[in-house]
């Protein structure tokens, strides 16, 4: 089903399979077990392989990396499906408020099955389920994007510091990562929520704090690979200031894995937010949150199964969309270590 | 080998200490005043005198390093603290709840290994077959379904619908409660007990099983391409023997990693499953304590979860040495 060869015909069995799970569960792939040198060597051999393929392939007019990646991405049906799902849900989230009524407006119809008037029926308070799902998707997307934004900034910063300065900076930061990885993410999230309280902002902070570890490790590995290469040396010798070397010469090297992590990370954050709201430590009612909606309707499933199905499907669609896009990007950008 | 294990254990001790310290400072410095929480509950204005008394009684008016010292001293002695609200001791909570969590985690992992590994191996050997495609699809979708949605769906189908429509007895499972708590040899459930716990165990196993199948497949496909496998085939070994003796062992390394992590998580932090099925395990207690902001309980149980998780990953690391001849230090040649 998944095309396992990329355009150049190289085998990328590694690609489509492991993505979502790795990001979802911290770091089961055992990154920590690879020493810096090993991962450097791995990444190097990949660089060489990419270069070789490019030379074989680029007989015609030259194309940019982006064009190439998009060509590969387009051939992957699952990835396109993911992109379509994400696109539709984002559009729904953006224009939704103009389409539906106030999600907290309570009608007289309580737990009514789907009708022409209420497409998804009404919930236990008589609120229109469709409106709530639309607003829930909006909230999920908002939290997904915000968490990933914050998480990526922290992760890139820590990874860059660690990989660039090495020494004790690296030791301290990477030990911190080890310690945080030693706590299952939901437990860490619950502890954080206990400390800072509930609400949308608290959820964003909590999930960002639990999610940056993988990004930091990936960025660090990329920095370690590149920082001693000749062109970086050359830049240093010609007197380019350090921040500029990092920004212009080193950071672009980790761009591809970070893009993949961002796509998969949004999906994971949405799933995690749903879990926190379901457990009653996320956003506070009457906020329309998909997890809260499922939790709130749990006593009525027998009479009103639509109250489980619609928010549940919305979560699945959101997460699946981002996971598929992430996997597609992983193949298209030929990223192995993210 | 011995020195490796010792080094690894030291590392575990460090991680546990650092994790406990981190959580302690997180929980006991961030909220404005724990005393206020206890005296008035969250978001209510409490009588300042009461707050002051409570703070004094529980030692919150002492400098934070004194509190930390006390916390560490009792934690090292194995006392994980007690609740503000009910004065339950964390150790008693664990004694009561940890066995159930461990048992459920154990059976979930058994399913995960049996189903996940075998379907992964099958997938890899029959690449692009129907079974392979089906596994891929199920795995991708499974990683997007929230555990609690799966749990509720299952409860609805086998716990409610099955009873309403008189399905055969073996397809009906009680959707409420957790059964009589009857076990043989500590780990084997009685028939009655099994009927209650089958659903949570299957739900807990499902997502990780799908993921494990994918990882097994990837890892098998990678090992199949290694040089020594080609050599083994060239020697004329049967395909079965090649797989069993030369491929599986290599391919199991990432698989064992995942299994270890899954067990570590499931044993203490099967939070969503336990919560959806109302099981009195460790995970559901963490949620209750967190929503009541019962700091010592959250802290104590988190330390327990970290320890279980840490020990599981320690065992995984040791098992590498047995699985991979290149990692093995001394002993027979692979």
């Amino acid at each position: 089903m998944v095309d396992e060869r990329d355009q150049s015909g190289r085998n990328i069995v590694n690609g489509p399979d492991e993505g979502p799970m790795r990001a979802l569960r911290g770091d089961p792939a055992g990154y920590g077990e690879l020493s810096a040198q090993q991962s450097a060597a791995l990444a190097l051999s990949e660089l060489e392989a990419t270069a070789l393929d490019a030379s074989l392939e680029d007989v015609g007019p030259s194309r940019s990396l982006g064009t190439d990646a998009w060509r590969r991405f387009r051939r992957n049906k699952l990835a396109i499906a993911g992109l379509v799902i994400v696109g539709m849900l984002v559009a729904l989230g953006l224009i939704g408020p103009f389409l539906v009524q106030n999600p907290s407006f309570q009608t007289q119809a309580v737990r009514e099955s789907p009708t022409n008037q209420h497409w998804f029926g009404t919930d236990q308070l008589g609120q229109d389920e469709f409106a709530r799902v639309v607003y829930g998707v909006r909230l999920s997307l908002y939290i997904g994007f915000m968490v990933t934004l914050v998480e990526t900034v922290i992760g890139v910063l820590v990874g860059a510091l660690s990989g660039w300065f090495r020494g004790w900076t690296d030791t301290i930061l990477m030990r911190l990562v080890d310690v945080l990885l030693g706590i299952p993410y939901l437990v860490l999230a619950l502890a954080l929520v206990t400390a800072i309280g509930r609400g949308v902002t608290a959820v964003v902070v909590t999930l960002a704090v639990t999610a940056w570890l993988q990004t930091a490790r990936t960025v660090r590995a990329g920095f370690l690979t590149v920082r001693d290469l000749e062109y970086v040396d050359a830049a240093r010798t010609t007197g380019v200031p350090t921040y500029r070397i990092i920004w212009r010469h080193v950071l672009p090297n980790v761009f591809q894995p970070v893009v993949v992590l961002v796509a998969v990370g949004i999906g994971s954050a949405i799933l995690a937010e749903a879990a926190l709201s379901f457990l009653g430590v996320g956003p506070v009612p009457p906020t329309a949150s998909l997890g809260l909606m499922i939790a709130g309707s749990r006593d009525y499933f027998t009479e009103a199964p639509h109250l489980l199905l619609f928010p549940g499907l919305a979560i699945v669609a959101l997460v699946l969309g981002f996971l598929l896009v992430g996997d597609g990007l992983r193949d298209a950008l030929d990223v192995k270590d993210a | 080998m011995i020195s490796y294990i010792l080094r690894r254990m030291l590392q575990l001790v460090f991680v546990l200490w650092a994790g406990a310290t981190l959580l302690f400072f997180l929980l006991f410095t961030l909220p404005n005043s724990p005393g206020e929480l206890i005296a008035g509950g969250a978001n209510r204005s409490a009588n300042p005198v009461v707050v002051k008394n409570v703070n004094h009684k529980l030692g919150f008016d002492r400098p934070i390093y004194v509190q930390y010292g006390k916390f560490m001293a009792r934690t090292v002695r194995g006392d994980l603290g007690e609740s503000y609200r009910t004065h339950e001791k964390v150790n008693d909570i664990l004694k009561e709840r940890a066995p159930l969590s461990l048992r459920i985690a154990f059976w979930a992992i058994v399913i995960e290994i049996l189903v996940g590994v075998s379907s992964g191996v099958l997938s890899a050997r029959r690449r692009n077959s129907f079974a392979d495609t089906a596994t891929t699809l199920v795995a991708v979708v499974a990683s997007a379904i929230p555990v609690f949605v799966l749990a509720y769906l299952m409860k609805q189908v086998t716990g409610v619908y099955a009873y309403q429509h008189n399905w055969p007895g073996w397809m009906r499972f009680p959707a409420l409660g957790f059964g009589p708590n009857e076990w043989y040899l500590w780990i084997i459930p009685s028939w009655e007990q099994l009927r209650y716990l089958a659903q949570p165990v299957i739900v807990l196993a499902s997502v990780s099983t799908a993921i494990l199948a994918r990882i097994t497949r990837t890892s098998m496909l990678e090992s199949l391409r290694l040089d020594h496998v080609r050599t083994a085939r060239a020697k004329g070994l049967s395909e079965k023997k090649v797989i069993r003796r030369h491929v599986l062992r290599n391919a199991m390394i990432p698989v064992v990693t995942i299994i270890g992590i899954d067990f570590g998580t499931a044993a203490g932090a099967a939070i969503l499953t336990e919560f959806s099925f109302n099981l009195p395990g460790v995970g559901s207690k963490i949620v209750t304590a967190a929503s009541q902001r019962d700091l010592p309980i959250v802290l104590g149980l988190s330390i327990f979860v970290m320890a279980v998780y840490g020990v599981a990953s320690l065992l995984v690391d040791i098992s590498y040495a047995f699985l991979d001849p290149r990692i093995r230090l001394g002993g027979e040649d692979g």
Side-chain angles (χ1 to χ4, degrees):
Chain A
M1 167 190 62
V2 177
D3 187 359
E4 285 203 318
R5 283 166 179 275
D6 66 5
Q7 237 188 334
S8 54
R10 247 166 345 107
N11 222 324
I12 42 161
V13 239
N14 219 355
D17 314 343
E18 338 184 323
M21 358 319 186
R22 263 201 211 169
L24 279 179
R25 2 178 84 218
D27 179 33
Y31 258 90
E33 273 64 46
L34 276 190
S35 76
Q37 275 124 342
Q38 277 172 316
S39 42
L42 258 177
L44 261 185
S45 65
E46 263 167 52
L47 279 181
E48 278 163 20
T50 319
L52 189 67
D53 282 342
S55 68
L56 288 176
E57 213 175 313
D58 281 350
V59 188
S62 69
R63 298 187 301 262
S64 72
L65 177 76
T67 329
D68 248 9
W70 171 239
R71 278 167 55 99
R72 283 196 291 258
F73 190 88
R74 231 172 26 192
R75 289 161 50 97
N76 187 340
K77 285 189 202 117
L78 276 181
I80 290 297
L83 197 63
V84 170
I85 298 176
V86 168
M88 277 166 39
L89 288 169
V90 169
L92 186 69
L94 287 178
I95 59 168
F98 303 107
L99 297 179
V100 297
Q101 62 185 59
N102 178 359
S104 306
F105 178 74
Q106 304 185 354
T107 60
Q108 294 302 312
V110 174
R111 295 199 304 272
E112 202 175 69
S113 296
T115 56
N116 266 341
Q117 206 192 348
H118 303 288
W119 291 356
F120 288 2
T122 54
D123 69 2
Q124 65 276 14
L125 296 175
Q127 303 168 122
D128 181 48
E129 188 76 354
F130 182 67
R132 292 190 72 74
V133 168
V134 168
Y135 273 83
V137 167
R138 239 173 106 79
L139 181 73
S140 288
L141 285 169
Y142 170 77
I143 288 183
F145 284 120
M146 285 308 286
V147 166
T148 314
L149 180 71
V150 178
E151 170 242 308
T152 306
V153 170
I154 303 178
V156 170
L157 209 63
V158 170
L161 284 176
S162 225
W164 185 259
F165 291 108
R166 295 192 287 200
W168 59 265
T169 320
D170 184 33
T171 312
I172 291 179
L173 290 175
M174 284 304 118
R175 284 297 84 81
L176 178 66
V177 169
D178 286 345
V179 170
L180 289 177
L181 280 177
I183 315 173
Y185 91 93
L186 209 48
V187 175
L188 184 57
L190 284 174
L192 273 161
V193 166
T194 317
I196 59 185
R198 298 176 61 177
V200 174
T201 317
V203 169
V204 171
V205 172
T206 301
L207 293 181
V209 169
T210 53
W212 58 275
L213 310 167
Q214 181 67 40
T215 313
R217 282 193 159 186
T218 307
V219 171
R220 170 178 176 270
F223 266 63
L224 287 175
T225 315
V226 179
R227 61 158 281 160
D228 290 329
L229 290 187
E230 273 129 2
Y231 79 91
V232 178
D233 266 347
R236 211 177 286 140
T237 330
T238 48
V240 180
T242 308
Y243 71 88
R244 210 177 140 80
I245 297 182
I246 295 182
W247 186 252
R248 290 289 299 272
H249 298 283
V250 184
L251 210 53
N253 283 291
V254 296
F255 177 71
Q256 303 187 15
V258 169
V259 166
V260 175
L261 284 176
V262 164
V264 176
I266 297 175
S268 321
I270 289 174
L271 202 55
E273 185 271 332
L276 288 183
S277 347
F278 169 74
L279 294 173
V281 291
V284 189
T287 313
S289 151
L290 298 172
L292 263 180
M293 288 161 69
I294 293 176
S297 62
R298 81 181 120 219
D299 297 329
Y300 317 109
F301 290 150
T302 320
E303 314 100 272
H306 61 276
L307 297 181
L308 168 65
L309 284 180
F310 290 118
L313 281 176
I315 299 175
V316 173
L318 279 167
V319 179
L320 194 63
F322 282 105
L323 291 187
L324 291 177
V325 169
D327 275 353
L329 282 174
R330 189 192 318 270
D331 292 352
L333 296 169
D334 197 17
V335 175
K336 293 234 172 89
D337 51 351
Chain B
M1 185 73 204
I2 301 274
S3 79
Y4 170 73
I5 296 177
L6 280 177
R7 218 172 45 229
R8 196 57 191 65
M9 282 168 91
L10 266 181
Q11 206 182 329
L12 174 61
V13 171
F14 166 77
V15 167
L16 283 180
W17 165 77
T21 307
L22 197 86
L23 289 178
F24 174 84
F25 282 102
L26 186 75
L27 288 169
F28 286 86
T29 54
L30 271 182
N32 302 339
S33 142
E36 216 160 298
L37 277 177
I38 303 156
N43 309 323
R44 259 181 280 161
S45 51
N47 184 341
V49 181
V50 178
V51 173
K52 198 158 169 266
N53 284 340
V54 171
N55 274 341
H56 182 73
K57 195 176 143 206
L58 293 169
F60 289 130
D61 51 355
R62 322 258 300 265
I64 189 75
Y65 61 86
V66 176
Q67 294 179 41
Y68 175 69
K70 284 192 130 177
F71 158 72
M72 265 300 149
R74 72 164 163 73
T75 305
V76 168
R77 283 200 312 268
D79 174 4
L80 291 174
E82 66 173 58
S83 161
Y84 289 155
R85 292 168 171 269
T86 57
H87 298 285
E88 275 175 296
K89 288 203 180 324
V90 175
N91 292 16
D92 294 338
I93 294 178
L94 282 177
K95 224 175 279 165
E96 198 184 305
R97 288 172 174 255
L100 181 68
S101 290
L102 284 176
R103 286 162 176 156
I104 290 181
F106 173 81
W107 288 112
I109 294 297
V110 169
I111 294 183
E112 180 182 340
I113 293 173
L114 289 181
V115 181
V117 173
S118 54
S119 56
V121 170
L122 191 79
S123 249
R125 290 198 56 190
R126 310 240 171 96
R127 247 175 102 185
N128 300 327
S129 68
F130 174 74
D132 183 21
T133 311
T135 326
T136 313
L137 259 181
V138 170
V140 173
V141 176
S143 41
I145 301 181
V147 177
F148 50 91
V149 172
L150 204 62
Y152 282 158
L153 276 178
M154 183 136 190
K155 265 170 122 167
Q156 278 310 300
V157 175
T158 54
V160 178
Y161 192 83
Y163 281 87
Q164 287 170 344
H165 292 77
N166 278 322
W167 286 11
W170 59 272
M171 288 178 80
R172 289 182 295 186
F173 299 98
L176 291 171
F178 75 109
N181 210 5
E182 288 169 3
W183 303 86
Y184 303 115
L185 300 173
W186 200 78
I187 197 83
I188 302 166
S190 69
W191 176 242
E192 194 49 32
Q193 185 65 50
L194 180 72
R195 284 168 45 78
Y196 280 91
L197 291 186
Q199 295 187 82
V201 168
I202 291 171
V203 166
L204 184 58
S206 57
V207 176
S208 28
T209 305
I211 288 163
L212 192 73
R214 295 314 295 162
I215 301 229
T216 310
R217 175 181 184 274
T218 312
S219 170
M220 281 281 291
L221 288 177
E222 256 167 35
S223 316
L224 275 167
R225 284 184 310 173
L226 292 178
D227 286 344
H228 77 267
V229 176
R230 199 186 46 199
T231 312
R233 283 197 180 126
K235 281 195 304 193
L237 287 186
S238 69
E239 189 64 19
K240 223 180 208 167
K241 251 191 177 153
V242 172
I243 300 270
R244 204 177 296 153
R245 303 243 323 242
H246 295 272
V247 179
L248 262 186
R249 188 143 155 185
N250 244 302
M252 281 309 112
I253 291 173
V255 174
V256 168
T257 313
I258 306 289
I259 294 172
I261 288 171
D262 283 346
F263 183 76
T265 314
I271 292 177
L272 293 169
T273 309
E274 286 181 11
F275 191 78
S276 326
F277 284 102
N278 287 324
L279 294 178
V282 177
S284 50
K285 185 70 187 179
I286 299 182
V287 181
T288 326
S291 51
Q292 296 172 338
R293 306 191 76 174
D294 201 336
L295 309 181
I297 301 266
V298 173
L299 182 58
L301 292 180
S302 302
I303 293 173
F304 168 77
V305 172
M306 277 191 326
V308 175
Y309 195 73
V311 171
S313 57
L314 174 73
L315 292 178
V316 165
D317 280 1
I318 295 174
S319 77
Y320 286 158
F322 292 97
L323 280 171
D324 189 345
R326 282 167 302 188
I327 303 176
R328 192 185 309 160
L329 309 161
E332 54 165 325
D333 286 356

